[in-house]
Amino acid sequence: MGRLAFAFVLTLCAAPLAAQGESVPEFSTLKGHGGPIMAIAVSPEGQLATGSFDNSVGLWQAGTPRWLEGHEAAVTALTYGPDGTLVSGGDDFAVRVWGETPRVLGHHQGKVAALAVSPDGQTLASGSWDGTIRLWPLTGGEGSALPAPGAGVNALAFGPDGGLYAGTMSGALLRYAPEGSTPVPMVQHGFGINRITLGPDWIAYGAVDGGTRVLDLETGAQIADLTLERRPILSMAHHPATHQLAVGDGEGFIMIVDTQSWQITRDFRATRQGPVWALAFSTDGTVIHAGGLDDVAYAWPVEMLDAFEPGISGARSFLRDVATMPNGERQFMRKCSICHATTPGPSRKAGPTLHGVFGRPAGTVPGYIYSDTLNGAGIIWDETTIDALFDQGPDHYIPGSKMPMQVIAGSDDRADLIDYLKRATTEQPTKGK
C-alpha cells in the first residue's frame, strides 16, 4: 500500500497514542514568507524563527508570523543564544541582533554563512564566505577577527569549553582554543564542509560530496560514517535530550540518526525536488522543522515521518507545468518570479512589485528600500531599458544594486519576456483573489 495522505494518517495514528495519554504532534506548515526558507532556529523557550530569501526573519506564534525587517538581502543564518537572544546573518554581509533594541553588530565582506553563540551567551561568532571569522560581544563593543581559517567559512559551533569549531569551503575542520589562537586542524576532507554540529563528546560534519562523519572531540578519531549516496549535505540539527541528529541534503532527504547507537532510524524524503536547506528540532525533540525551495516552512512529527509523502514541492510559484507556459511567462517564472510579484500592493518577495513598471522611474516603488545605486539612477523602465538589463545583466547594467546576476542571452527570449510583462504588470487582480 502507498503512503497515506497527511490528514488520514494523523487521524488513524493519533487514536492509540491519545488513548495512552500521550500528546501527538501534528503536521503543520508556516506560510507567509515571499521566498525560499534558508534558515530555521528554535530558542530554548520554543520560539521558532525562520529566515528567507525575502530578506526577512519570521517569528511564529500559533502559525502567525511577526516580521523582523532590516536585512537588505536574503537571510542565510539564524541562531539563538542560551538566553533567547536571536541573531541573524545574510547575503547583505550584515550580522544583526534582535530584541527590544535591534541593531547591526557589524559586517563581513561576503555572505554570512554561519553563526554560533558561546555557552555563556556573551559572544557571537560569525563566519563568512570572505574567509573570516569574527567574534562580537553581545553586550556591546567592537568585534575582533580570529586568525584566518584559510578559506570561506560555511559552519561554526562552540564546544562546551568555549572552544570554537569551524568548517571551511576547502574541506578543513578546525578548532580554535578559547583564547582564539591559531586554529588546529581536526580533519581535511576532500570537499568543502557545509555543516557541523556538536554533541557532548563528539562532532559531526556534512560535506559537499555527501560525506557525513562523526569524530571524537578529544582524539579526533572517527566514531561513525553515515555517508549515503546523496549530495551535498546542506543542513544539520541535534537534539541532545532525545539523542537525535537530523541531516538534510541537496536531494531532498532528512536522515534521523540515533547518536547513542549511531544507527539511522529514519530516512525521509521531505521534498519532491530540490534541497533541504534548513533544519531545527522543537524543544522537546518530537518535531523536525524544515525549509527548502518553497515559501513555506514545514513541521513533521519525527515519530511519524515514514507515514508522510514529500511535503516541499520545490515548484516555487509555478501554478502549472512550465512546459505549458508561453515563452515569455516561462522566462519570468525562471528569472524573475522568486523576487518579484506582478500584482499591485506590497508583497513579501525580496524585490519590489513590477506592477506598473513600464514608464516608472527606477527606485520609486513606495515602501521598498532600494540600494543607493537605484536611488536617483535616472533610469526609466521601458522596452529598451528592460532589454538592456537582461542583455547585459544587472551586475553590469546597474552595478551595485541588490539584483542578482540574471542574463537572458537570446534576443527573442528577452522580447517574449517584455511582451509578457506588458500584460502581466498592467492586469488588475481577479476579484476575490
Side-chain angles (χ1 to χ4, degrees):
M1 179 184 295
R3 293 180 176 181
L4 301 178
F6 293 152
F8 185 51
V9 171
L10 287 173
T11 301
L12 291 180
C13 295
L17 290 176
Q20 299 169 23
E22 299 181 22
S23 60
V24 180
E26 295 183 354
F27 168 81
S28 62
T29 57
L30 300 175
K31 300 179 180 180
H33 275 294
I37 308 301
M38 312 294 289
I40 302 178
V42 176
S43 76
E45 295 76 28
Q47 174 68 70
L48 177 69
T50 53
S52 170
F53 194 87
D54 67 5
N55 306 355
S56 65
V57 176
L59 295 182
W60 299 86
Q61 185 67 40
T64 301
R66 176 165 69 90
W67 301 113
L68 305 181
E69 309 287 1
H71 281 286
E72 296 182 0
V75 178
T76 52
L78 289 172
T79 193
Y80 278 102
D83 63 350
T85 298
L86 176 63
V87 186
S88 60
D91 273 341
D92 57 354
F93 310 165
V95 180
R96 302 186 67 98
V97 62
W98 304 92
E100 292 184 5
T101 308
R103 66 190 191 279
V104 177
L105 288 179
H107 290 83
H108 284 268
Q109 297 300 310
K111 170 180 176 174
V112 179
L115 299 169
V117 177
S118 61
D120 62 9
Q122 299 298 303
T123 304
L124 173 82
S126 60
S128 170
W129 283 7
D130 67 4
T132 65
I133 299 172
R134 298 190 64 83
L135 300 180
W136 312 91
L138 286 173
T139 54
E142 293 295 321
S144 60
L146 287 177
V153 178
N154 285 327
L156 292 172
F158 275 101
D161 65 350
L164 182 67
Y165 297 83
T168 75
M169 297 172 77
S170 67
L173 179 60
L174 307 173
R175 183 184 186 278
Y176 289 84
E179 61 272 15
S181 59
T182 301
V184 176
M186 290 189 67
V187 72
Q188 181 63 54
H189 194 75
F191 294 81
I193 292 176
N194 286 337
R195 291 291 180 263
I196 59 176
T197 191
L198 268 73
D201 54 7
W202 53 264
I203 182 169
Y205 73 84
V208 170
D209 66 339
T212 310
R213 300 193 174 118
V214 186
L215 308 178
D216 184 279
L217 270 183
E218 184 175 347
T219 66
Q222 183 169 295
I223 296 173
D225 187 341
L226 304 166
T227 304
L228 299 176
E229 294 299 319
R230 300 196 294 262
R231 62 187 67 183
I233 302 304
L234 296 173
S235 51
M236 278 188 166
H238 176 225
H239 192 264
T242 57
H243 311 290
Q244 294 181 102
L245 174 68
V247 181
D249 61 51
E251 298 181 31
F253 285 81
I254 301 173
M255 175 174 67
I256 306 291
V257 178
D258 182 335
T259 63
Q260 289 184 306
S261 64
W262 295 113
Q263 298 296 310
I264 299 171
T265 58
R266 285 173 178 79
D267 195 30
F268 169 57
R269 187 174 191 97
T271 78
R272 294 185 178 92
Q273 59 179 314
V276 178
W277 270 324
L279 288 172
F281 281 104
S282 60
T283 50
D284 61 5
T286 61
V287 170
I288 187 70
H289 302 280
L293 287 176
D294 291 4
D295 301 345
V296 179
Y298 291 78
W300 285 283
V302 175
E303 291 296 324
M304 299 173 63
L305 279 181
D306 297 337
F308 290 102
E309 295 285 354
I312 303 174
S313 70
R316 297 290 308 118
S317 54
F318 300 149
L319 301 182
R320 61 186 188 277
D321 186 349
V322 294
T324 69
M325 296 180 183
N327 184 46
E329 184 178 4
R330 185 162 58 247
Q331 295 298 326
F332 173 80
M333 289 299 182
R334 287 175 170 169
K335 298 290 186 178
C336 312
S337 67
I338 195 171
C339 292
H340 298 283
T342 59
T343 52
S347 75
R348 291 225 53 81
K349 291 182 178 287
T353 179
L354 299 182
H355 189 77
V357 67
F358 286 87
R360 186 169 71 205
T364 59
V365 172
Y368 184 78
I369 301 174
Y370 288 90
S371 62
D372 293 338
T373 297
L374 277 180
N375 287 325
I379 297 172
I380 304 296
W381 293 121
D382 57 21
E383 292 184 23
T384 301
T385 54
I386 292 174
D387 181 80
L389 174 71
F390 286 103
D391 183 22
Q392 300 175 32
D395 52 327
H396 292 290
Y397 188 66
I398 42 175
S401 77
K402 291 191 259 183
M403 292 183 68
M405 184 177 69
Q406 295 280 12
V407 172
I408 300 177
S411 59
D412 290 345
D413 289 337
R414 295 195 303 274
D416 288 346
L417 170 65
I418 290 168
D419 286 344
Y420 169 76
L421 288 174
K422 283 181 180 178
R423 297 190 305 274
T425 62
T426 56
E427 294 174 351
Q428 294 300 315
T430 303
K431 186 177 180 180
K433 291 187 178 181

